Amino acid sequence: MALITKQDFIDSIADSLQFIACYHPIDFIQAMATAYEKEQSAAAKDAIAQILINSRMCAEDQRPICQDTGIVNVFIKVGMNAQWDTDQSLEEMVNEGVRRAYMHPDNVLRASVVSDPIGKRQNTRDNTPAVIHTQVVPGDTVEVHIAAKGGGSENKAKFTILNPSDNLVDWVLDTVPKMGAGWCPPGILSIGVGGTAEKAMLMAKEALMEPINIHELIEKGAETAAEKLRLELFEKVNQLGIGAQGLGGVTTVLDIKVSDYPTHAASLPVAIIPNCAATRHTHFTLDGHGAAEFTPPSLNDWPEITREVSSTTKHVNLDTVTQADIETWQPGDTLLLSGHLLTGRDAAHKRIADLFANGESLPEGLDFTNRFIYYVGPVDPVKNEVVGPAGPTTATRMDKFTEMMLDKTGLMGMIGKAERGPTAIKAIQKHRSVYLIAVGGSAYLVSKAIKSAKMVAFEELGMEAIREFYIEDMPVTVAVDSSGDSVHSSGPQEWKQKISEITIKHSP
Ligand code: SF4
């Protein structure tokens, strides 16, 4: 009988993670290409264009699609008759594969996992441990579904237990707009219904690793209650008008997955887990004949897309921009930024808040006066790169620090992804500041606008340290203007209305 060796298993895990970090699944590329063709909102179409161009560049250069290279999720089906040649547990082998993949010297992936989550939250430095689910099944092979799940989309997971008589569709349609755009739509929403609390979440997560095939279902027609629900939600979620990056548009979801399981007569557990613009997963089976192999898509699988700079795009020099300039910017305006900016995200903001709370000053050399901050935690550079993929992170996590930053540091504006909450908008309005967004899921493309990077403060925070970037022509959109008006409110509202008027059909 063929043996599944430790080496083959670890190599397969490591190779699969390097593979999915750089290559979108082909069904995702095709679904995004269709969304690009159908999109009628200029802002959403440009966001999809950036995601597709970024995706192709990553495939060409074998660099990560997103700066958040994810936490590893693995579903393993172990055949009851599978034979192993290993001295390690399944968990140890998975984690060894993760370690090798994320520390690969030619393509280091960003380590995002922290241990002691309610205490010190220290980065484990090699992205271990993975989250592993194992099932024992008939057969003699080992089947693995593996994903690298971004924090922005995982953070938007929702769960409830409805009454059996409640309307599940209403709950989903009420919940999805509240998820905001931090999950970097368009993507996939996976819904687990039934079982128990953990079963519903697990079903939702596992179904995210299935191929995008809603159009086959549209053609075939729904036969089961779950299929009917998929079709109904696919249409109704897209009619919400949220659109790419929450800018307002006709495509919010590329597919809806629904999995169900028998449940208690008193319960209707429902879980939603989204997958984002960095949908990363693959599947392999080991049968004792060597490690798994992964075939990249052909470069012809990406649509030919060129972005043109619109005549209304404003060129902004961050080194000379004035308060009067930023007060002319309107939500939805597109800008090309050049000059110097500072970076920082969760941990750096917390450090700054703690310094001020203790009556201390900012570290020497760190001065935010009249500067912009970019919420980013980049991937380490390789070869002659200045910085690795460096897309924006979800800005709402910085909302509680915004008043402090604007009030105490002289900060002029912020760049991140997705909407701001009421606290941050109030602070922006009060200080006549501005919030700009870059496209989440286009991290490698964004990094090409960064011409130099230097460490400024909190180096020990690793990817969360404060750096200074010099950028040229970095594309951004004005999301919250100095009056506090937000494109994430006006865009979806406008497109919800337009969609109801033009009745877009999401069929091929
Ligand atoms: S595409 Fe958006 S949600 Fe997904 S990993 Fe990247 S930043 Fe996070």
Side-chain angles (χ1 to χ4, degrees), residues 66-68 149-153 182-184 276-278 280 392-393 417 440-441:
C66 192
Q67 79 288 340
D68 180 352
K149 192 69 170 49
S153 61
W183 60 284
C184 291
C276 59
R280 291 170 290 216
T393 196
K417 80 167 163 87

Side-chain angles (χ1 to χ4, degrees), residues 8-79:
D8 285 346
F9 187 83
I10 293 173
D11 285 351
S12 303
I13 294 284
D15 291 352
S16 66
L17 289 169
Q18 275 286 324
F19 181 79
I20 62 177
C22 305
Y23 300 106
H24 272 130
I26 184 135
D27 52 279
F28 181 86
I29 299 164
Q30 287 164 348
M32 282 295 270
T34 306
Y36 175 77
E37 278 162 29
K38 283 187 173 162
E39 192 51 72
Q40 299 180 31
S41 147
K45 196 173 180 87
D46 186 54
I48 297 172
Q50 290 190 46
I51 291 165
L52 281 166
I53 292 169
N54 178 73
S55 172
R56 193 178 193 278
M57 285 169 63
C58 292
E60 264 179 314
D61 295 352
Q62 282 135 58
R63 292 293 281 141
I65 294 164
C66 192
Q67 79 288 340
D68 180 352
T69 47
I71 179 167
V72 178
N73 292 199
V74 200
F75 286 84
I76 309 176
K77 292 194 171 99
V78 182

Side-chain angles (χ1 to χ4, degrees), residues 16 40 80 98 105 161 168 183 223 297 357 362 397 437 487 504:
S16 66
Q40 299 180 31
M80 284 164 164
V98 173
I161 300 197
L168 196 159
W183 60 284
E223 286 164 17
L362 292 176
R397 296 199 314 273
I437 53 165
V487 76
I504 301 286

Side-chain angles (χ1 to χ4, degrees), residues 308-495:
E308 277 162 29
V309 178
S310 139
S311 56
T312 55
T313 299
K314 296 183 171 104
H315 290 260
V316 174
N317 183 342
L318 291 175
D319 297 333
T320 55
V321 69
T322 65
Q323 181 65 33
D325 293 332
I326 70 171
E327 293 197 19
T328 65
W329 301 346
Q330 303 291 314
D333 283 358
T334 51
L335 313 176
L336 282 174
L337 304 181
S338 298
H340 294 86
L341 50 69
L342 292 163
T343 73
R345 42 173 282 167
D346 311 54
H349 281 79
K350 173 84 169 52
R351 283 279 183 95
I352 294 168
D354 289 347
L355 286 175
F356 289 146
N358 294 332
E360 295 170 49
S361 335
L362 292 176
E364 205 184 317
L366 178 60
D367 184 357
F368 287 100
T369 313
N370 292 333
R371 310 292 299 271
F372 275 67
I373 190 166
Y374 180 30
Y375 301 144
V376 63
V379 176
D380 287 346
V382 295
K383 297 180 189 155
N384 41 21
E385 283 179 352
V386 165
V387 66
T393 196
T394 307
T396 42
R397 296 199 314 273
M398 267 52 77
D399 280 5
K400 65 180 174 191
F401 301 112
T402 301
E403 170 60 30
M404 175 273 293
M405 289 295 288
L406 294 175
D407 187 48
K408 292 196 161 51
T409 71
L411 184 72
M412 186 176 245
M414 297 144 277
I415 307 161
K417 80 167 163 87
E419 69 286 343
R420 303 308 299 259
T423 320
I425 290 181
K426 201 170 146 200
I428 290 168
Q429 195 176 21
K430 176 177 157 195
H431 295 278
R432 306 291 294 164
S433 177
V434 70
Y435 166 61
L436 315 173
I437 53 165
V439 172
S442 65
Y444 189 47
L445 177 66
V446 172
S447 73
K448 295 296 169 197
I450 301 166
K451 303 302 176 190
S452 71
K454 77 170 187 204
M455 185 62 64
V456 175
F458 310 139
E459 187 167 1
E460 63 284 4
L461 296 180
M463 61 102 172
E464 298 211 44
I466 294 184
R467 296 171 171 82
E468 184 182 63
F469 287 169
Y470 177 73
I471 55 171
E472 278 175 17
D473 291 339
M474 175 175 161
V476 294
T477 301
V478 178
V480 180
D481 72 7
S482 58
S483 309
D485 290 333
S486 166
V487 76
H488 289 102
S489 304
S490 56
Q493 260 171 33
E494 178 190 337
W495 279 91

